[in-house]
Amino acid sequence: MRMQRRAFALAVAGLGARVAEAAMPAAAASAASAPPAPPAAVEAAPRRPAAAVAGRERVRVFATTDRPLVQALLEDFERRHPLLWVDYHELGSAELFERVQAAGDAGAEGPDVVWSSAMDLQIKLVNDGHAARHVSVHAARLPRWAVWKHEAYGTGPEPVGMVVRSELAPPAGLPRTHAALAALLAAQGARLRGRIVTYDIARAGLGYLLAAQDLIANPRHWELVQALGRAAAAQHAESRSMLEQVAAGRALLAYNVLGSYAEPFVRRHPGLAMVYFEDYTLVATRVAFVARRAPNAAGGRLWLDHLLSVPGQQALARHGGLHPIRADAAEAGGSGPAGSPPGLLPGPRPTAALRPITLGPGLLAHLDQSKRAAILRRWAAAFAAA
C-alpha cells in the first residue's frame, strides 16, 4: 500500500527525469487515496526592511506563489546562506509580468529572481530579453521539458483538475473526462446554474494559459466553455477565492485548479474531493529565472539553485504541498505531505493521461495579440449568452 501511495507522486516527478512513466498503463501506476493528516500550518512572515538585516545582502524575489507555501524554503535558504536574506514579493501573475517588463524596459532596479505560474508570460519575458543565462548545477537532473535555453526553469509539476462538493453527485457519477463534464452541465443546467466557478481568463494569467492549452489538447473544448457559460459559471482572478466558494457551499465545482493549492485545501475540508480528468490532465509548472538586470545576480543564482536542489524541492513538498520536479527528491521522501495527495475519489489515478506543458516558444503562440483577442472574444461571448 505504501508503494502504491507513492506511485502517483513518482509518476508526476517522473515527468522530470523519467517522462516515460506518465505513459504507464493506469493499472500499473494506480495509487490509493487514503487522506493523510494535513501539514502543520505555516504562518506568513512579514517582509523585513533592509535595516533589520544590516550586514546581509538582499536577494529580491518576485513570485506568484503564496508565501505560506514557501516560508520553509526561504528560511532554509537563509540558514544555508547567512550573508543573504530574501526580500519576497508575492504578486498576481499579470502584475508581476507588467512590473518586470516595465523595470527592464526602463533600466530601473527590479528583482533578482522572477518566479511565476504563468508559464507563457514567463517565456515571453525570457524571449524579450529579461532573463539572464544561468546554467544551474542542477540542470542535468531536471526533465528536458522543464528547461529552456538555461534561462527558464520549471520548478515542480502541478496537475490541473477540479474540486467538487460531495452533493454534486455520488463518486461513480462524477465526470471523469472533459466531455462528461460538459454533458453534466448540460443535463443539470438548472440545478448547477450559478454554482460553478472557474478562472476569468482575461484577468488571470494562469487561467488564460490553461484555457489555451485546453484548446490545444481538446478540439471540442469550446463546447465545454459554452456549457460553463450556460451554467452562468462565476469567473475569478485567482484560485483561492474559487476554493473558498466551494468550501462555503456557494459553488459545487471549481474547474481548472492547480492540485498544489487544491489538494491541501481539500484535506482541510471534509466533503470536498479533488478530481483529475482521465482523458487528459494538464501538468503546469511554475517557472523561475534570474533577471538580466538583477541587482544581486550572484545571490539570485544561489536562490534559484537552492529552489532546484533536493533540499529546496523537499522543503516545498513537505511544507508547501508542491510536487518535486526532480525524481530523486521524490524518491528521497519529498513527494509532498506524507502519503498520497488527498481527496481523490476511489480508483486509480490517471497517470497515463498526464500532459505536461512544455517550456519553449510554443507557449508564445496564444500570446499573439490577434489570437489572444479572438480567444477572449469567443470566451466572453459564451458567457454573455447565458
Side-chain angles (χ1 to χ4, degrees):
M1 183 66 71
R2 178 179 176 83
M3 292 181 65
Q4 285 182 321
R5 283 199 300 265
R6 293 177 60 80
F8 181 74
L10 288 174
V12 172
L15 292 170
R18 301 189 302 277
V19 179
E21 285 189 18
M24 291 188 300
S30 64
S33 58
V42 180
E43 294 295 332
R47 196 166 66 245
R48 293 163 296 180
V53 285
R56 299 170 68 185
E57 286 191 78
R58 180 179 72 168
V59 179
R60 195 180 194 198
V61 178
F62 281 8
T64 60
T65 307
D66 293 350
R67 181 158 187 145
L69 299 183
V70 301
Q71 188 61 37
L73 172 74
L74 303 180
E75 293 172 356
D76 186 51
F77 174 80
E78 291 182 348
R79 279 195 300 270
R80 294 169 185 269
H81 301 279
L83 297 181
L84 299 173
W85 69 282
V86 182
D87 185 14
Y88 190 84
H89 295 248
E90 182 184 326
L91 305 167
S93 57
E95 180 187 3
L96 180 148
F97 172 80
E98 291 167 359
R99 287 182 61 174
V100 173
Q101 189 177 54
D105 292 346
E109 181 177 292
D112 299 306
V113 179
V114 184
W115 187 29
S116 173
S117 56
M119 299 173 65
D120 48 357
L121 295 181
Q122 288 288 84
I123 293 301
K124 178 166 175 54
L125 288 173
V126 174
N127 195 60
D128 290 348
H130 294 281
R133 180 175 170 84
H134 170 56
V135 182
S136 172
V137 296
H138 304 289
R141 302 309 299 263
L142 305 179
R144 281 180 290 180
W145 65 264
V147 180
W148 191 42
K149 296 168 56 176
H150 290 290
E151 293 180 353
Y153 291 91
T155 63
E158 301 190 44
V160 178
M162 60 183 176
V163 171
V164 299
R165 289 188 65 87
S166 57
E167 60 261 39
L168 177 65
L174 283 173
R176 300 303 184 102
T177 67
H178 292 80
L181 175 58
L184 175 70
L185 295 176
Q188 300 191 30
R191 176 189 173 215
L192 299 178
R193 186 173 178 79
R195 303 197 70 188
I196 308 295
V197 290
T198 190
Y199 275 114
D200 181 340
I201 69 169
R203 292 189 294 154
L206 176 60
Y208 180 80
L209 168 69
L210 298 179
Q213 293 297 314
D214 275 330
L215 290 170
I216 295 172
N218 181 9
R220 302 181 64 179
H221 182 62
W222 283 117
E223 295 178 14
L224 175 54
V225 175
Q226 290 164 356
L228 289 167
R230 287 192 295 269
Q235 301 180 76
H236 292 249
E238 37 80 31
S239 58
R240 184 184 305 167
S241 62
M242 287 195 281
L243 294 173
E244 289 172 351
Q245 290 291 306
V246 179
R250 289 187 288 272
L252 292 175
L253 183 151
Y255 172 69
N256 261 9
V257 291
L258 292 178
S260 56
Y261 283 120
E263 288 173 2
F265 190 87
V266 165
R267 260 197 303 277
R268 300 192 298 270
H269 294 83
L272 303 187
M274 181 79 213
V275 179
Y276 292 114
F277 292 104
E278 294 177 357
D279 52 344
Y280 70 89
T281 292
L282 294 175
V283 181
T285 178
R286 293 160 208 267
V287 179
F289 63 79
V290 177
R292 186 166 65 88
R293 296 181 179 274
N296 183 2
R301 292 188 179 97
L302 287 173
W303 195 87
L304 178 54
D305 281 345
H306 184 65
L307 178 62
L308 299 174
S309 71
V310 169
Q313 291 278 295
Q314 290 177 339
L316 284 176
R318 292 170 178 166
H319 303 284
L322 304 180
H323 294 292
I325 195 73
R326 300 174 56 143
D328 54 350
E331 290 164 354
S335 57
S340 172
L344 288 172
L345 298 167
R349 286 168 178 254
T351 53
L354 296 176
R355 184 187 176 102
I357 303 172
T358 302
L359 288 182
L363 287 171
L364 300 177
H366 284 92
L367 291 182
D368 175 81
Q369 289 188 0
S370 61
K371 289 183 178 179
R372 177 179 168 86
I375 290 173
L376 292 179
R377 279 197 305 270
R378 191 166 178 182
W379 181 280
F383 280 80

